[in-house]
Amino acid sequence: MGRWWPRGLRPRLLAGFALVTVLGSLAATWAITESAGEALVASNQRRISETVSGQIGAVTHEVSHPPDQAALDRVRDSVGPDTLVVFEDLRSVDGARADLITDELREAVREGDRVVTQRVVDVDRPWLLVGAPVMITDPDGERAPSGIEVYTVRDLSAVQEEVDALVRAAAAAGAAVLVLAALLALVTARGVLRPVRELRDTARRLAAGDLDARTEPQGVDELAELTVTINEMAESVQGSMATMERMRADARRFAADVSHELRTPLSTLTAVTEVLAASTEDMAQDARESAGMAITETRRLVRMVEDLMEVSRFDAGSVRLREEEVDMVSAVRDTLRARNRLDRVELHAPQEVPVRVDRRRLDVIVANLVGNALRHGEPPVRVGVFADRTHVNLVVTDNGPGLAEHVVPHVFDRFFKADSARTRTPGSGLGLAIALENARLHDGDLTAGNGDDGGARFVLRLPRAPGQTAPGRERGIQE
């Protein structure tokens, strides 16, 4: 039933309306035709019975009792063709249709004192069987059966034709009602579904980001109440989104302003710490340890401010790529060498993989991925470069505990630290988020997961040329 029933609201409304109309029309037609047909048949049956009774009464006063064969023949001729008259062993019959007279009818005539009728069908034609006893009146006025039984057969085909014509007329009227019902259903569906379509269009505009979309309520019915409710919901969402956008803008502006304001004093502080680092050898042990701690924390603070400034540039949309043709393998090796990580990382790559990227931002991505593996994972840390015809894949793996299942969806969130899954570190929580932004800036993607050996596995996928966007997940990467 569900497979054949229409799924659209308009087809369902039309189908339901038509179904109810058809069922109602059929029920009304059946009731009317059944009642009218029965009344028509009953009327004709009563008329035939009265006629037969009159014909019998017109001749019975001339019949002597007990009757002879001639008397039975006169009664038969008076009633008409297809008639059987019976008195004890005497019979007078005319017409082959007298064979239709049933034993049930004869039994009813013998046991009663009135005209009895029965309808039968023979060779697809309806017939009315009429039976009546001939009554005699005693000298004291009492009526009693004379023993003469009269049976006759009458054709009801004309009556049946009238009933069939009545059925055809009712069917034609039902068909006309169905057409009118379909037109009425179309008009009703249009009136009912128009506000529904308007609500649908408004919902689509809201989903597309047009928070000013509204629908004008019409009338005072349930659809109008729904329209008012949706408009109120849209107002609430618009207000909430505006508030959130202001808060986000204030937060971005605050981070940018703070980062910018801290840059100058941090530059001065960095210069002082460099001088301090150069003179720690002449200090006492306690002073040397304090100076080393101050130098480490100052450098960490500088990195955090630089990361915040980078994130604020991404949020402001002011980041621009400076693409150039580079060798991916050489660029990765230079990143590791600049940070003294060549001896701590295993690099697996072909001789040369040309790619068009922003070299500085590629350096940031690789440095963040490798640094993350070195800080949070365990050796050996491996970096693999694999290329196909359209894309270059950089895979960074470690031999640590891997990423917990609840951590994977949030590993690129800003300021996220998976303390429960990995060793606590002093990082800002922005490195992987910046790496992902830089990957997307190149029309690429960065994904995180776990390798077959259980360690964390990060895959950077970049197009070899601009415009070749990377799919949402890693494909065809092997180590």
Side-chain angles (χ1 to χ4, degrees):
M1 183 64 180
R3 182 171 56 189
W4 295 105
W5 188 252
R7 298 189 178 182
L9 186 56
R10 180 193 294 272
R12 281 190 293 175
L13 183 60
L14 295 178
F17 208 101
L19 182 60
V20 171
T21 303
V22 168
L23 293 177
S25 177
L26 288 176
T29 300
W30 177 82
I32 292 173
T33 55
E34 187 73 14
S35 176
E38 189 66 28
L40 186 61
V41 172
S43 175
N44 279 270
Q45 180 176 314
R46 184 169 56 253
R47 178 180 57 80
I48 293 173
S49 299
E50 292 175 352
T51 300
V52 171
S53 179
Q55 291 170 339
I56 294 173
V59 73
T60 53
H61 67 278
E62 301 175 358
V63 177
S64 60
H65 192 78
D68 56 11
Q69 185 64 42
L72 296 183
D73 291 340
R74 286 197 303 274
V75 174
R76 183 204 65 200
D77 293 338
S78 175
V79 175
D82 297 324
T83 300
L84 170 66
V85 181
V86 179
F87 178 76
E88 295 180 353
D89 295 334
L90 297 178
R91 290 168 55 89
S92 178
V93 62
D94 176 49
R97 297 297 178 185
D99 294 339
L100 295 176
I101 297 172
T102 64
D103 295 338
E104 293 83 359
L105 181 66
R106 291 182 178 181
E107 186 68 23
V109 170
R110 291 191 187 100
E111 294 178 355
D113 58 355
R114 56 185 177 81
V115 178
V116 180
T117 59
Q118 182 181 10
R119 290 198 297 267
V120 297
V121 177
D122 182 57
V123 195
D124 295 331
R125 293 182 65 179
W127 302 89
L128 179 65
L129 310 181
V130 182
V134 176
M135 307 297 292
I136 59 176
T137 304
D138 295 334
D140 57 0
E142 292 291 334
R143 290 172 54 82
S146 65
I148 302 173
E149 301 170 3
V150 181
Y151 302 97
T152 186
V153 180
R154 294 291 185 265
D155 190 359
L156 292 179
S157 297
V159 179
Q160 186 62 45
E161 290 177 359
E162 293 181 17
V163 173
D164 293 341
L166 182 63
V167 172
R168 288 193 295 271
V177 169
L178 179 59
V179 173
L180 293 176
L183 295 176
L184 181 60
L186 285 173
V187 174
T188 305
R190 183 177 180 182
V192 171
L193 296 181
R194 183 174 60 251
V196 175
R197 288 195 300 269
E198 292 176 354
L199 287 176
R200 177 201 61 192
D201 296 339
T202 300
R204 286 179 176 175
R205 290 171 58 191
L206 289 171
D210 182 9
L211 298 181
D212 293 323
R214 300 291 186 274
T215 301
E216 187 68 25
Q218 300 176 2
V220 293
D221 56 6
E222 289 80 1
L223 284 176
E225 295 177 359
L226 178 61
T227 301
V228 172
T229 302
I230 291 180
N231 288 339
E232 292 175 351
M233 179 191 69
E235 290 283 351
S236 177
V237 171
Q238 186 177 26
S240 299
M241 293 296 292
T243 302
M244 290 178 60
E245 188 58 34
R246 286 195 300 269
M247 294 174 63
R248 290 177 60 186
D250 292 342
R252 288 195 297 265
R253 185 166 52 252
F254 174 78
D257 292 345
V258 169
S259 301
H260 181 74
E261 293 297 327
L262 287 176
R263 190 171 188 177
T264 299
L266 283 177
S267 298
T268 303
L269 186 58
T270 301
V272 173
T273 56
E274 293 299 330
V275 174
L276 183 61
S279 58
T280 54
E281 295 181 358
D282 299 331
M283 296 180 181
Q285 180 66 26
D286 293 342
R288 189 184 304 115
E289 291 178 357
S290 299
M293 185 179 301
I295 293 170
T296 300
E297 293 301 322
T298 300
R299 289 173 179 172
R300 175 173 172 268
L301 182 59
V302 170
R303 285 196 303 271
M304 185 179 297
V305 171
E306 290 175 348
D307 288 345
L308 285 172
M309 293 182 66
E310 184 74 359
V311 168
S312 65
R313 283 192 289 268
F314 279 115
D315 291 339
S318 60
V319 178
R320 296 293 181 269
L321 286 179
R322 297 181 180 179
E323 294 179 334
E324 58 180 314
E325 193 77 20
V326 301
D327 174 21
M328 184 77 167
V329 179
S330 298
V332 172
R333 187 176 287 110
D334 291 344
T335 298
L336 299 177
R337 181 184 298 110
R339 291 164 177 80
N340 296 320
R341 293 173 176 170
L342 274 176
D343 57 342
R344 302 169 60 191
V345 175
E346 298 178 8
L347 178 60
H348 303 276
Q351 292 293 329
E352 183 177 347
V353 178
V355 63
R356 188 169 181 80
V357 293
D358 185 325
R359 189 182 186 109
R360 186 183 70 84
R361 298 196 175 277
L362 176 62
D363 177 80
V364 172
I365 297 173
V366 176
N368 278 319
L369 293 179
V370 174
N372 180 78
L374 291 173
R375 286 192 303 271
H376 301 293
E378 296 178 3
V381 174
R382 300 183 179 89
V383 177
V385 179
F386 310 93
D388 54 29
R389 188 173 57 86
T390 59
H391 291 83
V392 176
N393 305 299
L394 177 75
V395 182
V396 179
T397 60
D398 61 58
N399 199 34
L403 299 171
E405 184 176 352
H406 70 279
V407 170
V408 175
H410 306 287
V411 72
F412 295 109
D413 293 351
R414 296 177 182 180
F415 304 106
F416 178 78
K417 293 184 179 182
D419 293 336
S420 60
R422 297 202 173 183
T423 308
R424 182 174 180 84
T425 60
S428 66
L430 292 172
L432 292 179
I434 293 174
L436 178 61
E437 294 289 349
N438 279 307
R440 290 176 175 172
L441 200 62
H442 286 83
D443 291 331
D445 197 14
L446 181 59
T447 59
N450 292 314
D452 296 336
D453 57 355
R457 186 171 188 263
F458 289 83
V459 179
L460 171 67
R461 185 169 175 82
L462 297 176
R464 301 190 72 164
Q468 297 177 342
T469 57
R473 62 186 180 91
E474 169 195 356
R475 292 188 227 171
I477 300 175
Q478 299 178 350
E479 293 191 50

